[in-house]
Amino acid sequence: MPETSLTDEASGPALGRSRTRVLELLRTTDGPLTAHQVAQRVGFHVNTARFHLDALVEAGLAQRGTEGASRPGRPRMVYRAVAHRASEGPRSYRLLATMLSTLIDRVMPEPREAAIAAGREWGRYLAKRPAPFEHVDAEEGIRRVANVLAEAGFAPGEVSGAGPRVLPLRHCPFQEVARVHGDVVCSLHLGLMQGVLAEVGAPVTARRLEPFVEPSLCLAHFDQQSA
C-alpha cells in the first residue's frame, strides 16, 4: 500500500504538539484543573500552561471558570475541556472520493457517460435560474458556469477567444483524485457545466474539458449553438 495519508489536510484547527497535550489532559481528567495543576502534569512553566489554556478557550475547545466558594480566599481559575462535538476530528473526503471514483471507473459499464449524466443533473440543480422572460446570452451563461465552478473551489479566469470560447480553470479542488481518475472526475465537471448552461437556456454548450494543460490549469471549451 502506498505511504500516503488517508485523512485530509487541515481537517481541524492546527493546535501544535504542546497545546494538544494540554487539551488531551483536560479531556482525560475528571473535573476542572488550574493552570498550576496543568503545568505540573505536563511539565510546563505555569505561564506557558496558562497561555495554552487561554488559547484553547479562545478556540472554543475549553471553558474557563472559578472554583466554588468552599475554599477560603480568592476563588481559583480553573479550566475544563468542552465536550467533543460531532464536527471535530479528522476527515477523509479525499479517500472517499477516490474509492467512489474507482467504483464508477471499474464497475459502471460506461463510466464517462455516467459521470457526465450525473454532472448534468447537479449542474441543473446548482444553476442560478433566470427570471421569467430573462434572456441569458452566451457570455452570461458562461459567467454563471464560472460562478458555480468558483463555489466548488476552482479559480476561473477570463474567457478567451473571439470565436470558440475558452474558460481557463485554475486550482482544481479535486486535483489529486482527478489525476488518477480523470475520466470520472473531469467528466463530472464537464457534465456540471453542460447542466448549468441547459438550465439557464444559454445558446452555448460546454464541448470539452482539457485537463492539466499546465500543472494547475485546465481549459473548458465552449461552442456557440446554432439558432
Side-chain angles (χ1 to χ4, degrees):
M1 182 175 178
E3 295 183 1
T4 56
S5 175
L6 300 183
T7 57
D8 298 341
E9 297 178 2
S11 54
L15 299 180
R17 182 176 301 178
S18 297
R19 196 161 298 168
T20 298
R21 289 176 61 193
V22 173
L23 179 60
E24 286 303 312
L25 174 63
L26 294 180
R27 285 176 169 172
T28 56
T29 301
D30 292 332
L33 295 172
T34 67
H36 285 274
Q37 291 171 325
V38 171
Q40 290 174 352
R41 299 188 189 188
V42 182
F44 294 160
H45 188 279
V46 64
N47 290 338
T48 302
R50 188 175 289 111
F51 169 76
H52 290 305
L53 288 165
D54 290 341
L56 291 172
V57 172
E58 289 294 322
L61 299 173
Q63 291 177 333
R64 185 190 299 112
T66 55
E67 284 185 322
S70 58
R71 292 173 56 92
R74 183 178 179 180
R76 297 186 301 176
M77 192 74 67
V78 293
Y79 300 82
R80 69 172 69 242
V82 172
H84 282 273
R85 294 171 294 190
S87 60
E88 293 181 7
R91 299 290 184 265
S92 298
Y93 293 123
R94 184 187 302 178
L95 174 61
L96 176 62
T98 302
M99 294 169 68
L100 293 177
S101 297
T102 302
L103 177 66
I104 295 171
D105 202 14
R106 304 291 173 83
V107 176
M108 298 291 292
E110 296 181 335
R112 183 176 184 276
E113 288 71 15
I116 290 176
R120 285 176 183 150
E121 291 298 318
W122 276 100
R124 286 183 174 275
Y125 173 75
L126 296 171
K128 180 182 178 182
R129 299 185 64 184
F133 306 110
E134 178 185 2
H135 173 70
V136 176
D137 59 16
E139 286 70 23
E140 174 63 16
I142 295 175
R143 189 185 69 80
R144 296 194 185 195
V145 166
N147 287 342
V148 170
L149 293 174
E151 288 291 328
F154 287 92
E158 295 295 327
V159 175
S160 62
R165 297 169 174 86
V166 179
L167 176 66
L169 298 172
R170 296 193 179 275
H171 180 65
C172 174
F174 314 100
Q175 180 176 174
E176 293 80 6
V177 183
R179 288 191 180 279
V180 180
H181 299 287
D183 278 351
V184 173
V185 178
C186 298
S187 296
L188 276 168
H189 297 150
L190 178 62
L192 186 78
M193 293 185 283
Q194 293 175 351
V196 172
L197 293 171
E199 185 68 17
V200 303
V204 63
T205 184
R207 173 173 56 87
R208 180 166 62 96
L209 179 58
E210 191 177 1
F212 303 118
V213 296
E214 294 178 8
S216 61
L217 174 65
C218 302
L219 298 177
H221 297 261
F222 298 84
D223 283 345
Q224 186 84 24
Q225 293 178 343
S226 56

